[in-house]
Amino acid sequence: MIHLKNIKNQLPNEMNAIFSELNVLKCLRQTSICKQKGYSPAIIFTFLFSLVFKGKTLNQVLSGREADQYMKKDTVYRLMNDPHNNWRSFLLRFSASVIEKIHRLTDPSTHLRTLVLDDSTFYRNRSQKVPGLAHLWDHALQKGYKGYRMLTLGFSDGYSFIPIDFGLLSGKNQVNQKQAESDQRTSGAKRFKEAQRSMPDVAIEMVQRALDQGVYASHVLMDKWFTSPKMIDRLHDLGIHTLGMAKNGKTQYFYQRRLYKLSELYQKSIKEYCQEAIISSIIVQPSSGKTPVKIVFVKNRNNQSAWLALMTDDLTLSSQEIVKTYSVRWDIETFFKVSKSLLHLSQETQTRNYQALICHTTIVFTRYILLSWQQRCANDERTLGGLFYELADQIKELDWSVALLELMDILQAVSEKASHKLQDFIESQLQLWIDTLPNYIKAYLPNLVCET
C-alpha cells in the first residue's frame, strides 16, 4: 500500500510545500467536510488533487493494474457524492485566505483590486442521467452542446487570478429534470436549486458572498452579456463599482435631457486624443437605471472602422484608467483555458452525480489557486502551463524514487531476519548494484547510498 502510506508525498515537492504554507487541509477541516469512517477526507482530497499530475483520470487509477494499491472506488465517490459537504464554503474560505496573502504583495495605491465575473461551457456530451443536464449553445464555437454553464467569480490584481466561487447552471431545455437530492436542506440540494435560477441573480449572490467573506475589491469586471443598468444598480447597492462592456442595443440613456441609444451617444461624445485606442467618452444617465455612468468608446482591434463601449459607474476614473482596468478581465479567460486544457476540468470523472461534479470542479479550482500562488511567489515569467508541465515531470521522477526506497526497505527487512552468511551476501550484492547505478539516479537517492 505504498501510495496510501505516502499519499501526500505523491505531490510534487514544491506543491507539497505550498499545501502546508496555504493550509489547504486546515481549510478543509474548518469547513466540516467529513466522513463517518475509513480514510479521512484529507487523504482522499489529496489523492484527487494529485491525479492531474500523474496524467491519469480517476477511473484509470481506480480500475487499472495498480487499483489494489489505492482505496476502493466507492470510498472516493462516497465523499464526492455526499450532499452534506459544503464545497462552496471550503473554496470561499481558502481563496479568501490566499487573496489576503496576495494583498500584502500589492501596492493598493498603484493597482486596483477587482472581481471578475464570466461564464464558460461545462461539457457533458456523453452523459444522460446527470440531474439538471441541459442542451445549451456555445457562442465561441457556434454550436450546441450538452452540459452546464459554469458561472465563475474570481479575483485579480493584474498579476494573479484567484477563482472564488462558481455555479454549474442548467437551462430551459433540460435532458434530465429529476431532483439531485431528496433532502432539500443539504448543501448539495441548495446548489442544485441554484442551477435552475437566472445567471444575474446567482452572480449578485456570488459577489455578496465574496464581500461577506472579507474579499476586498473596488470593481466588478464583466463582459457585455452581464453589463446592464439594472446589474450596475444592484452591484452599486452592494457597495462595489461595475466596469463592463456595453451592448449596442435598445437601451437608451439621458444626455442633456434627451434620450439617445448607444450608437447615437457615440456621435455626441467628447473626443479624446490621449491614447490611440481611446476615441471619446461621455457621462450619461441610463433610462432604466438610477446610477449615472461614464461610457468610454475605444477602437475595435478586429475592425478598425468599428468601436466598442466600456461602461462604469465609477465617475472618478479617467478614460485611461478604465481601459487599463478592464484589460484585467482577460485573466478569467486564461483561467478557463488552463483549467480545461491542463487541469482536466469536466474530463477527470465519469460521475452521474451533480454533487460530485461540484466537488470535482472545486478541486480543479484549488489546483489553479496553488499554481497561481506559486507563480506569484517565484515572480516567475513562466506561464501556468509551463509550471504545470514541470510539476508533472517532477512527480514522475518522485514515483520511481519512492518505489526504489520502498524496495530497499523490503530488502533490508529480509536481510535482518536472515542468517549472517545470507545477510553478508545480500549486502554485498546490493552494494555492487548501487556502485553500477548512473550518477543521476544516485543523486535522487542520497539516503539509499549513505545507508549502504
Side-chain angles (χ1 to χ4, degrees):
M1 305 293 282
I2 296 173
H3 300 285
L4 292 182
K5 288 180 180 178
N6 302 286
I7 189 71
K8 288 186 66 176
N9 293 334
Q10 294 303 303
L11 294 169
N13 289 336
E14 295 181 37
M15 195 62 74
N16 198 359
I18 298 175
F19 237 66
S20 300
E21 179 185 2
L22 299 182
N23 298 317
V24 178
L25 300 182
K26 180 180 178 181
C27 290
L28 198 67
R29 291 192 299 270
Q30 291 176 341
T31 315
S32 300
I33 293 177
C34 59
K35 287 173 76 273
Q36 293 182 350
K37 59 182 179 179
Y39 296 104
S40 69
I43 290 179
I44 300 175
F45 180 89
T46 309
F47 164 71
L48 292 171
F49 180 93
S50 64
L51 282 178
V52 69
F53 300 107
K54 302 176 188 293
K56 297 181 179 179
T57 65
L58 178 60
N59 187 61
Q60 288 173 336
V61 172
L62 298 183
S63 303
R65 292 179 299 176
E66 299 179 353
D68 57 337
Q69 297 177 351
Y70 296 95
M71 70 281 290
K72 297 298 182 182
K73 184 184 296 187
D74 290 346
T75 302
V76 177
Y77 280 113
R78 268 196 297 270
L79 177 72
M80 297 180 69
N81 296 347
D82 191 345
H84 297 88
N85 292 333
N86 193 339
W87 293 106
R88 167 167 282 157
S89 178
F90 161 75
L91 184 61
L92 277 170
R93 185 187 297 269
F94 176 56
S95 59
S97 66
V98 176
I99 291 170
E100 180 63 30
K101 292 178 180 292
I102 288 177
H103 281 338
R104 303 168 190 167
L105 306 177
T106 307
D107 185 0
S109 63
T110 58
H111 287 89
L112 292 173
R113 296 165 178 171
T114 63
L115 296 177
V116 187
L117 184 68
D118 201 0
D119 70 302
S120 183
T121 57
F122 192 94
Y123 278 73
R124 302 298 290 180
N125 282 327
R126 298 178 60 186
S127 299
Q128 293 291 341
K129 300 183 179 180
V130 183
L133 203 65
H135 291 289
L136 302 169
W137 182 256
D138 188 339
H139 294 278
L141 300 179
Q142 291 297 306
K143 68 175 186 179
Y145 72 97
K146 190 164 57 176
Y148 303 92
R149 285 192 178 95
M150 186 178 71
L151 179 62
T152 304
L153 179 71
F155 169 87
S156 178
D157 62 352
Y159 292 107
S160 302
F161 179 82
I162 304 296
I164 297 174
D165 199 358
F166 70 92
L168 297 182
L169 307 186
S170 184
K172 296 181 180 179
N173 300 322
Q174 292 190 17
V175 179
N176 190 349
Q177 298 184 359
K178 72 174 184 179
Q179 293 293 319
E181 305 296 338
S182 57
D183 188 351
Q184 299 302 304
R185 298 170 297 176
T186 62
S187 298
K190 293 176 182 177
R191 290 295 286 263
F192 185 72
K193 284 183 179 178
E194 176 186 84
Q196 319 303 318
R197 301 173 58 200
S198 66
M199 275 204 287
D201 291 341
V202 177
I204 292 295
E205 291 183 358
M206 283 185 176
V207 174
Q208 180 68 70
R209 279 192 295 267
L211 297 177
D212 292 343
Q213 190 65 36
V215 177
Y216 171 73
S218 57
H219 295 76
V220 179
L221 309 182
M222 58 187 70
D223 62 8
K224 62 176 63 177
W225 196 97
F226 294 94
T227 307
S228 67
K230 290 183 179 180
M231 192 74 169
I232 292 175
D233 288 342
R234 295 177 71 179
L235 289 172
H236 188 82
D237 292 340
L238 296 180
I240 190 168
H241 292 296
T242 304
L243 174 53
M245 188 169 291
K247 297 178 184 177
N248 187 12
K250 298 180 181 180
T251 303
Q252 294 184 319
Y253 305 86
F254 281 106
Y255 179 66
Q256 295 180 349
R257 299 183 180 182
R258 292 188 61 185
L259 284 172
Y260 298 93
K261 293 182 180 179
L262 192 62
S263 57
E264 296 171 331
L265 286 176
Y266 175 70
Q267 305 297 330
K268 299 287 184 180
S269 58
I270 301 173
K271 299 295 186 290
E272 296 188 13
Y273 303 97
C274 54
Q275 186 176 337
E276 290 185 2
I278 299 174
I279 301 174
S280 57
S281 64
I282 191 170
I283 296 177
V284 296
Q285 173 71 46
S287 61
S288 58
K290 59 183 180 181
T291 307
V293 296
K294 180 176 181 178
I295 301 176
V296 178
F297 296 95
V298 298
K299 293 180 180 179
N300 188 344
R301 292 186 302 176
N302 300 324
N303 185 357
Q304 293 298 323
S305 62
W307 49 264
L308 301 172
L310 302 180
M311 180 190 298
T312 180
D313 63 332
D314 188 356
L315 305 183
T316 63
L317 292 180
S318 66
S319 298
Q320 295 95 323
E321 290 173 328
I322 290 174
V323 174
K324 180 182 177 181
T325 303
Y326 186 76
S327 66
V328 175
R329 199 199 72 83
W330 187 253
D331 288 350
I332 199 169
E333 303 292 349
T334 303
F335 162 73
F336 289 144
K337 178 66 174 178
V338 172
S339 298
K340 294 177 181 179
S341 60
L342 297 180
L343 303 183
H344 294 179
L345 179 66
S346 79
Q347 306 168 18
E348 202 170 61
T349 177
Q350 299 177 3
T351 181
R352 299 176 181 178
N353 188 287
Y354 182 83
Q355 175 70 2
L357 292 179
I358 296 294
C359 172
H360 158 71
T361 307
T362 302
I363 292 173
V364 172
F365 280 33
T366 305
R367 291 170 183 161
Y368 190 94
I369 292 173
L370 266 68
L371 285 172
S372 184
W373 173 253
Q374 185 182 29
Q375 184 187 36
R376 183 62 175 266
C377 289
N379 195 21
D380 206 325
E381 295 183 355
R382 292 175 295 176
T383 62
L384 287 177
L387 286 170
F388 167 79
Y389 284 120
E390 289 185 16
L391 293 170
D393 290 339
Q394 186 185 78
I395 198 162
K396 292 177 182 177
E397 297 170 349
L398 182 64
D399 283 340
W400 64 258
S401 62
V402 170
L404 283 178
L405 286 172
E406 291 287 342
L407 178 60
M408 286 302 306
D409 291 339
I410 294 173
L411 290 175
Q412 289 177 355
V414 172
S415 176
E416 291 174 358
K417 296 182 180 180
S419 61
H420 291 290
K421 186 176 180 180
L422 182 57
Q423 186 175 0
D424 293 339
F425 175 76
I426 293 175
E427 291 179 355
S428 63
Q429 292 296 314
L430 193 57
Q431 186 62 51
L432 181 63
W433 172 68
I434 292 173
D435 293 338
T436 60
L437 289 175
N439 289 331
Y440 75 90
I441 294 181
K442 292 181 181 180
Y444 276 99
L445 305 173
N447 297 332
L448 180 61
V449 177
C450 295
E451 290 177 3
T452 56

